[in-house]
Amino acid sequence: MGLKIWVFAEADGDKPASATLELLTKAREIGETVEAVYVGANADALAGALGDYGASKVYAIDPGGRLPGVIGAAALAELLPANSPDIVLFAQSYDGRDAISLLSAKLDKPVLTNGFTIRLDGDKVIIGTQIFGGNTLVDAEFEGEAPYLAAIRPKSFAAEPGGGAPATVETVPTPDAGRAGEAKVLDHHVEEREGPKLEEAVVVVSGGRGLGSAENYGPLVDDLAKLLHGASGASRAIVDAGWVPYAKQVGQTGKTVKPKLYVAIGISGATQHMVGMKGSDNIIANNKDGEAPIYGIPDLGVVGDATKVVPKLIEALKARS
Amino acid sequence: MNVVVCVKQIPDPATPGKLNADSNTLERAGKLILDESDSFGVEMALQLVDKAGGGEVTLVSMAPNDEVSGLRTALAMGAAKAILVSDPALAGSDSLTTAKVIAKSVERAGDIDLVLTATESTDGYTGTIPGQVAGLLDWPALTFAKEVEIADGTVKIQRQTEAGYDVVEASLPAVVSVTAGVVEPRYPSFKGIMAAKNKPVDKVTAADLGLDASEVGWSGARQQIVSVEKAPERQAGEKIEDDGSAYEQIVAYLEKLKVI
């Protein structure tokens, strides 16, 4: 009998998030029935794309001014017993992580997270993760009874439409999330972003300690990213130092990116960072220390002071445009 | 106001990590240090207690071999005391079991208003502990905070989102995970380091917390590692020294890729 797979769906504006489409594509490949659970507004607007990528049905829940992950966990806890999916997939995103961890506690079920592969071996469900900066691959299987709860890092699978009909929308009443539901969302604050999102950009330019100071991030990293129509990212070191926010972090404890081109400026290449970017098609690295670990992977390595190399590069690019 | 900060003691990330050959779990037998990710929670807790004008910061840590090195660092920063859960029966615990240990420790810590955690640890990085602990305690979970404010029995945070941040509020007690870089962790002073040596560390086992040995560690884990292998290595290409004109080669490379 084929597997029934549920995907905790998230939205990006009035479209499904790209991580959701990636999960649906994979779910379609390994499962027979694919359904989505979505907490948020405008489920009808999402139903077309969710269906196109593989979901036959979407359970839609109004968050009622609460956090989607919190309401999602409460809703799933109520929906799972009657519908018994074999696997529930979450994106390793802010809301996906809230949902899987709260649900894990509610159901007393273990989780596997940071997955980048899913495969079936007989009736075993096996999730692959990367450790030690991606130089070691670990496969783990679930034991015990389904449903199995797994969180998958965005960009692990390609999103491909399958041509399915729009998903049927089944509205589910907002559940009582207990004390967890006391967390109220008072306000959404949208920060202006020029250019593409970090995880979706064709070019990513990231900076690290080698920039010398927080003040150099804008004129070196942001400006170069802008000229290349890309997004700017960061190493953990400068996020920890408070130079840029956590949302910009590329790496094991940050985001995974797989752009056509990744430019690492002043980044030494701690394993923490490498796991988030070594899947890029092409990599340029610029660091003062020619022996830095980052030089083990780039297609073009430029040994030199970022504050000297990058301004010249920016000038040259500006002169062309 | 009384705050618990969950801290993990981990192998120094600067040294290459190893897997235990028998169990395929992270090798944690050597000296451990305070996970830098947790220094932000410790600093945040100290500042919040200071602002509230009273109360104390209690650390909770689960570690093998009665390890206290990392705890001493956080105590030297200013935390008042620690609960250390160390028990061979806990080896091999998955994240949910770890969360159960932490939740029980929070209950043991007494009258607690707030639990602070990092968003994930540096070594295991499962990233589910904050939500699991909140779920087990049945407290609100306010995650990915880049700013935390406490007033009149409520906690209000700026929660990191893809688009910016959300303002999220809940009544106390609550669990809050803080993102790296939110505050600047203080360096322990000499006085702090000396004082830390005499601060109380309450060493407990799983049984002390009311957890049965059969539901923790290897026996309690409901997942199993089936294979470990080396990832294919990426081949490095050309490497040049900047002589003032390296930018020209970068431009040429960008042209070749057709990104300009």
Side-chain angles (χ1 to χ4, degrees), chain B residues 9-17 26-33 122-123:
Chain B
Q9 305 178 85
I10 63 169
D12 190 337
T15 60
L26 291 173
E27 186 59 77
R28 306 180 72 217
K31 181 179 183 274
L32 304 178
I33 62 170
T122 299
D123 59 347

Side-chain angles (χ1 to χ4, degrees), chain A residues 3-7 9 16 20-37 46-58 158-168:
Chain A
L3 293 179
K4 185 194 236 185
I5 303 180
W6 274 18
V7 170
T20 297
L21 300 180
E22 292 159 21
L23 294 179
L24 288 172
T25 305
K26 189 66 185 181
R28 206 171 76 213
E29 180 194 316
I30 60 171
E32 186 175 88
T33 310
V34 178
E35 294 174 344
V37 174
L46 268 57
L50 293 173
D52 192 13
Y53 283 78
S56 53
K57 183 177 188 178
V58 52
E160 282 154 21
T168 359

Side-chain angles (χ1 to χ4, degrees), chain A residues 1 13-14 23 41 56 65 68 76 141 144 151 176 182 185-186 197 200 206 209 221 225 246 266 275 294 305 316:
Chain A
M1 204 183 76
D14 54 8
L23 294 179
S56 53
L76 280 163
E141 69 183 18
D176 176 6
E182 286 179 19
V185 181
L186 303 181
K197 286 171 78 169
E200 284 157 23
S206 286
R209 278 271 186 208
V221 179
Y246 177 71
V275 70
I294 190 83
D305 187 339

Side-chain angles (χ1 to χ4, degrees), chain A residues 259-321:
Chain A
K260 180 176 178 189
L261 172 66
Y262 189 84
V263 186
I265 300 172
I267 291 176
S268 63
T271 55
Q272 155 73 232
H273 186 70
M274 305 277 226
V275 70
M277 45 68 86
K278 62 193 265 180
S280 306
D281 293 344
N282 303 280
I283 298 172
I284 301 177
N286 167 222
N287 195 282
K288 234 186 307 197
D289 174 10
E291 299 305 309
I294 190 83
Y295 286 114
I297 60 165
D299 301 283
L300 175 63
V302 178
V303 181
D305 187 339
T307 61
K308 297 208 168 66
V309 176
V310 180
K312 281 187 186 160
L313 175 62
I314 287 175
E315 277 317 302
L317 292 176
K318 278 187 181 157
R320 297 166 57 99
S321 53

Side-chain angles (χ1 to χ4, degrees), chain B residues 17-18 34-36 41 69 77 79-80 90 92 122 136 176 202 230 240 243 250:
Chain B
K18 278 201 300 277
L34 177 68
D35 187 342
E36 202 181 327
S69 315
M77 287 172 72
L90 290 169
T122 299
L136 292 166
V176 172
D202 176 20
K230 283 267 158 239
I240 56 170
D243 58 359
I250 301 177

Side-chain angles (χ1 to χ4, degrees), chain B residues 182-196:
Chain B
V182 283
V183 281
E184 197 181 337
R186 67 194 68 185
Y187 285 106
S189 64
F190 179 71
K191 211 175 118 190
I193 293 168
M194 296 313 287

